[in-house]
Amino acid sequence: MTAGENSVQIKKSVPDLAPLEAVLFDVDGTLCDSDPLHYHVFREMLPQIGFNNGVPIDEEYFIKNIAGKHNSDIAVLLYPDDIPRGIKFMEDKEAMFRSRLALENLPPIKGLYKLTKWIDDRGLKRAAVTNAPKPNAELMISKLGLKDFFDVVILGSDCERAKPYPDPYLKALEVLQVSKDHTFVCEDSVSGIKAGVAAGMPVVGLTTRNPESVLMEANPTILIKDYEDPKLWEALEELDKRIGSSKTSA
């Protein structure tokens, strides 16, 4: 299976998932707006290794080539002829990211706790599914106060293939013992949206940093600005109605 090969056939809406069993979240850019911090660390460190002739990358380059990608893929981009050196650079970059993150207040995406309460109130299963290194994911989830919210954290590095392949999301479904037909995904990057779609689930895409036109190419079910977007709550209210009507008819 190639990343995104199922994208043409997945056009199920969120209300079609009734009864809902689980919600799966990416971390960077989906739980919190961490991309600016990643971007500034890359802008600071890449000139030091002579990348792009020492000229700092711009945000357009970051969005197109780095955001949402697994570190092994970024290592290949930076050092195509010396992968171990690229891996070492990424390890150093992530260490700097965590040191900056530890000092900064990392606000959640607007409306995040409204959605997590909605999920809690309905007793749904939930997982964080991320291409981020384990220490990064754990630090961000902890700073957001969501350590006890997630049933499991699935890492791209623990799978045969990371996003944009579906493997991490398929593993989340397996671990949670839920069906793709009753689960949706929240993602903010092209790579992540492609992974969710390829895994056979509707994806709620967030325009946290990536342009709407770019995200639409990955075929999300809906695009929202944040978790207070009326489009999301209209879909969730309709989902609740369908669950309620199915219980009544039963």
Side-chain angles (χ1 to χ4, degrees), residues 134-150:
K134 186 176 182 179
N136 289 27
E138 289 180 342
L139 181 57
M140 283 185 278
I141 289 170
S142 176
K143 283 182 73 74
L144 291 166
L146 295 175
K147 190 174 180 182
D148 295 328
F149 173 75
F150 289 109

Side-chain angles (χ1 to χ4, degrees), residues 12 16-17 44 54 79 82 107 120 123 135 148-149 163 170 177 184 194 198 201 204 206 213 216 246:
K12 183 179 286 188
D16 290 336
L17 300 172
E44 185 175 326
Y79 288 98
D82 191 350
D120 257 335
D148 295 328
F149 173 75
K163 304 174 193 178
L170 293 174
Q177 297 185 310
F184 72 86
K194 284 183 176 180
M201 290 173 284
V204 175
L206 287 106
S213 58
M216 283 305 296
S246 64

Side-chain angles (χ1 to χ4, degrees), residues 192-212:
I193 293 172
K194 284 183 176 180
V197 170
M201 290 173 284
V203 179
V204 175
L206 287 106
T207 57
T208 311
R209 291 286 166 180
N210 296 312
E212 185 172 324

Side-chain angles (χ1 to χ4, degrees), residues 26 68 70 73 129-131 156 161-165 168-169 187 191-192 195:
D26 175 45
H70 192 265
D73 296 322
V129 182
T130 178
N131 272 353
R161 303 174 300 181
K163 304 174 193 178
Y165 293 96
Y169 280 115
E187 271 282 0
S191 172

Side-chain angles (χ1 to χ4, degrees), residues 106-122:
L106 193 66
I109 298 297
K110 192 176 180 182
L112 174 65
Y113 299 131
K114 180 181 178 182
L115 179 57
T116 57
K117 183 180 185 302
W118 185 90
I119 292 168
D120 257 335
D121 289 347
R122 284 153 185 79

